[in-house]
Structures are given as C-alpha cells and as structure tokens.
Amino acid sequence: MTLPPWRHSVRAVLTLLLVSVLAACVTPRLPAPPKLIDQVSPPGFPRDVRFLSSDRDYVVAHLYRTVRNLSAVAHGPIHLLALSGGGAGGAFGAGILYGLARVGQRTDFQVVTGVSAGALLAPFAFLGPSWDPQMKDAFDSNRTDHLLQWRSWLGFLFRPGIYSRGPLVAMVDHFVTRRMIRAVAAQSRKGRMLLVATTDLDKQESVIWNMGLIAQHGGPAARKLFAKVLVASASIPGVFPPVMIRVQGGGRTYEEMHVDGGTTLPFFVASNIADVMPLHLPQLEGAKVYVIVNGQLSTYPRTTLPEPMAVLSRSFSAALMHASRRALVLAAVFARHFGMRFRFTYLPMTYPFEGSLDFKYDNMHQLFEYGEHCAESGQIWSTINQAIDEGQRAAMQLPQLSYECPGEPGRTLH
C-alpha cells in the first residue's frame, strides 16, 4: 500500500529529530592540544612522564643520558625486555616469565616496555619473580572470562566500543595497588625503566609513558594515572571505548583520546626516531634485547564466519601479525647496528591459538601452561631466520596442530 505524501514527510521529520537527539547525546569533550608537540602534561605531573615517540628533539636530548644511566645500573650489559600486544595472547608471555623464574633463568631487566596486553604484563615483569603470584592470578585465572561484556546499542552511541570497559578497569584497579606503585617507584629511583605505549588518536601518534616517574609522584594521583595508562594501552579501538586523559599547559586544560598502543606499535625496543637516526651509543655494545610476541607471526587458512565478532577478531589479529613482522625486522636491524644481542619468542603457527579476543579461562590456562613449559625446557628464544624457516615448513603442510615450542633447546637469557 502506498503511503500518503504527508506520512512520508512525518517519517522524514521524525528521522531527522532522532538523528539530532542522538547527535546531541554524544559525550562532549574538551579540545585536544592544538600542536603536535606541545608543553602539556597531566595535571601535577612533569612533562617527562611521557613523550611522543616521533619527538626527535626530546629523544636526542634524553637518549644519551638514559643509556649512560642504564649502563651504570646494569653493572655490565644492559638487559631489555619488550612485551607485545596480543589480547588473550598475553597469557603466553606470562607463562614464559613464570617458567623462566622457576628454572632460575629470569634475569633482572633494566628496561621493560609493554604495549596493550604487554602493558598489563609489564609491571609484573618489571618487579620480578616475587610478584609472580599476582601475575599468574591476572593471566591464569577466571578473571578474564568476563572481560568481554556487551554494551547496549544506546551506550555505543554515547561512547564508541562494542564491549564495556568496566571489567578491564576493575581488573587493572585490582592489581594496581598502592603497594605496586611504591615498588615500581623504588625500582625507578634505582635507575631502571618501565615504559608503556598508548596511541593518541588526536595526534595519531604513539605516546611513551614513563611509568616509573608516574609512580614516583606518589599518592592517589599516581595510582589513578598509572592505572588509566594501562587501561588505555589495552583498549582495542572499536572493542573497548577510548580513554580520555586530561592535560594542562599554557594555562589551559585539554583532553587527549588514547587507545591501544598496538594501533601504532605492536611492541617497542626504542623510539621510532632512535630506530632510524645515525646515533653513536657505545654503551649499547653487548646489550641483550628480548622480545616476547604474544601472538603468531603466521597462521593456517581458516574459513572466517560472516559474523561481526569473527571478522573483527580476524582483522585485528591480521593487522597485529603483519605489524609484528615489520617491527621484529626493524628491531633486529637496530640491535645489529649497535652490536646488541637480539632474541625473540612467539606463538608458533602450529599452536591452536583461537585469537586475540579469546579470553575463555580454559584456553588462557592452556596457553599459560604452554609458555611455562617452553620456558622451563629452554625452548623459547628464536632468531629471524629460524622463525622464517619454521613458517615456510609449516606453510607447505596442512594444519597439524601441536605444542612444539618456538625455540631450540639450550637458548637461554645468558
């Protein structure tokens, strides 16, 4: 039946009103800082608590002094651990660290860097084996079962993100205690560094946060910002809502929108600028760099269901996988240039990994135990050539899911 002309007009007016109401309901925010590189910081904190990874002047001004200080703290070769993103794959990295401690192969890292799931793992790795019970509780317990809670469509209109941020915030708040802040601050005062990356969507750049300096600030403000940065670094765009961080400078207050650090960096060993600048840093000679990739570098083909979550999960995993490959090559070149030893580990193609958003406890527990087993058996550390060879061999076969470890026996941290 054909609608009368006046009803078409009424429907159009109602649609326009609905769109206008929904647009008006979008959560307001303060403007972002107008300059790419600006003298702004969270209220009460010095500018040095974070920097833009592409800020050449800042990197040049601080890198030489930082490396000298780290060399003095290490009393020998500097040890650096980089923890990648990977969502549920973070259980793999947690299992590796747990297993290394059990067999006495866990070293004291002078620098620990983390992105996304790696950011949540980084404070435990930084603080050492005495914090392993808390790390195991975070990555090998049923706490992760409830991380993905659907939001109503109306909530999505107010703040983008398929899932509620509440469970992630609650988990981070549970583990980021005043005791943790004090412990991180104490290690930072000794000269060690804990660094976490987020992505500033307004600038579309990586931001590196010095979590030790945040912790040294002390008090409720330090704990609040510390936790907020970790949540932001793990907030996958479209999956969780972005995190708003207020900053001040020049007598004005702004807001920055931060999301998953893995959006721009799957992991990081050095600043983007330091990776490509012709620097002379003799203190890095003999340093040892270890990267834990909390995901796979290649996978078997698998039919993707035409469902939103299946497409989102596979898309996120594909982007992370290819970004990790590029970052590994760049990190290896950086390490070779400065005479550093470079090793990494990753989830082999043959491991039955169900994807970055698979937070089911049974699968997380299995992944944690797999990482623990590989670490205890001394079969975790690999090289670029070994990883390429493994991928080539597996790619020529049909899927043969197994639990082979990524490295050769005997490769240790020492």
Side-chain angles (χ1 to χ4, degrees):
M1 183 178 69
T2 304
L3 291 174
W6 65 271
R7 290 198 175 183
H8 285 291
S9 299
V10 169
R11 186 167 60 182
V13 169
L14 289 175
T15 300
L16 182 60
L17 285 173
L18 178 60
V19 171
S20 299
V21 168
L22 292 176
C25 288
V26 172
T27 305
R29 58 163 291 189
L30 295 175
K35 298 178 183 177
L36 182 62
I37 299 174
D38 213 338
Q39 299 292 324
V40 296
S41 62
F45 290 86
R47 182 173 180 255
D48 283 354
V49 297
R50 58 50 162 320
F51 65 93
L52 219 60
S53 67
S54 57
D55 186 347
R56 181 183 183 278
D57 289 343
Y58 184 93
V59 171
V60 171
H62 291 77
L63 188 58
Y64 289 99
R65 183 181 65 188
T66 299
V67 170
R68 283 197 302 270
N69 291 344
L70 289 172
S71 183
V73 171
H75 303 295
I78 297 170
H79 288 72
L80 185 150
L81 174 67
L83 301 163
S84 87
F92 171 63
I96 285 175
L97 292 171
Y98 193 81
L100 287 173
R102 286 173 62 88
V103 294
Q105 291 292 328
R106 180 108 153 254
T107 189
D108 290 328
F109 297 100
Q110 283 72 51
V111 183
V112 176
T113 72
V115 175
S116 194
L120 302 181
L121 179 56
F124 302 113
F126 182 74
L127 292 175
S130 63
W131 285 77
D132 280 3
Q134 292 92 325
M135 178 181 71
K136 193 174 191 300
D137 188 25
F139 288 89
D140 185 27
S141 73
N142 59 7
R143 293 180 185 278
T144 60
D145 264 337
H146 311 290
L147 269 182
L148 301 183
Q149 289 186 6
W150 287 96
R151 305 169 69 213
S152 69
W153 68 271
L154 189 59
F156 182 81
L157 290 171
F158 285 104
R159 193 175 292 277
I162 296 174
Y163 295 108
S164 168
R165 190 171 57 220
L168 176 60
V169 171
M171 188 176 80
V172 170
D173 190 61
H174 176 79
F175 291 105
V176 178
T177 59
R178 286 177 293 181
R179 177 172 169 255
M180 173 180 276
I181 296 299
R182 289 194 297 268
V184 170
Q187 292 301 315
S188 177
R189 290 188 185 99
K190 294 178 181 179
R192 298 176 65 216
M193 299 186 73
L194 172 61
L195 305 174
V196 163
T198 63
T199 298
D200 184 334
L201 277 188
D202 299 315
K203 294 182 173 70
Q204 297 186 321
E205 294 283 353
S206 305
V207 177
I208 310 299
W209 297 80
N210 190 325
M211 306 299 279
L213 287 183
I214 292 175
Q216 285 188 49
H217 182 277
R223 181 171 177 266
K224 181 178 179 181
L225 182 59
F226 195 102
K228 182 172 280 193
V229 170
L230 293 184
V231 171
S233 185
S235 293
I236 305 167
V239 176
F240 296 111
V243 173
M244 307 305 298
I245 297 180
R246 291 205 171 187
V247 294
Q248 292 179 339
R252 294 196 59 183
T253 300
Y254 305 96
E255 269 188 331
E256 299 172 340
M257 182 180 286
H258 289 259
V259 297
D260 191 339
T263 306
T264 46
L265 288 174
F267 65 85
F268 65 100
V269 172
S271 159
N272 291 345
I273 293 297
D275 283 339
V276 298
M277 285 183 61
L279 301 170
H280 179 63
L281 295 165
Q283 296 90 347
L284 292 180
E285 182 75 32
K288 300 178 181 181
V289 178
Y290 297 93
V291 176
I292 296 179
V293 177
N294 292 305
Q296 294 174 314
L297 300 177
S298 55
T299 63
Y300 291 109
R302 189 171 70 195
T303 301
T304 303
L305 297 176
E307 299 173 352
M309 277 312 302
V311 173
L312 180 63
S313 179
R314 293 285 282 177
S315 299
F316 174 69
S317 295
L320 184 62
M321 183 173 66
H322 285 267
S324 295
R325 290 181 194 170
R326 292 190 295 270
L328 279 170
V329 172
L330 189 59
V333 171
F334 175 83
R336 188 182 305 119
H337 175 73
F338 289 106
M340 304 162 76
R341 177 179 176 181
F342 178 74
R343 291 288 184 270
F344 68 94
T345 189
Y346 62 102
L347 267 177
M349 187 175 179
T350 52
Y351 184 87
F353 185 48
E354 293 298 321
S356 303
L357 299 181
D358 178 26
F359 292 104
K360 299 185 191 71
Y361 167 66
D362 288 345
N363 293 338
M364 294 277 285
H365 175 67
Q366 181 175 289
L367 188 53
F368 183 95
E369 288 197 328
Y370 167 73
E372 181 184 359
H373 161 73
C374 290
E376 289 180 345
S377 62
Q379 300 180 73
I380 54 174
W381 302 115
S382 184
T383 65
I384 296 290
N385 288 337
Q386 289 169 346
I388 292 173
D389 290 343
E390 182 269 342
Q392 286 294 107
R393 287 195 302 271
M396 301 301 292
Q397 305 170 350
L398 290 173
Q400 299 179 7
L401 303 182
S402 67
Y403 292 87
E404 295 177 0
C405 293
E408 295 180 355
R411 291 191 179 275
T412 69
L413 282 174
H414 303 291

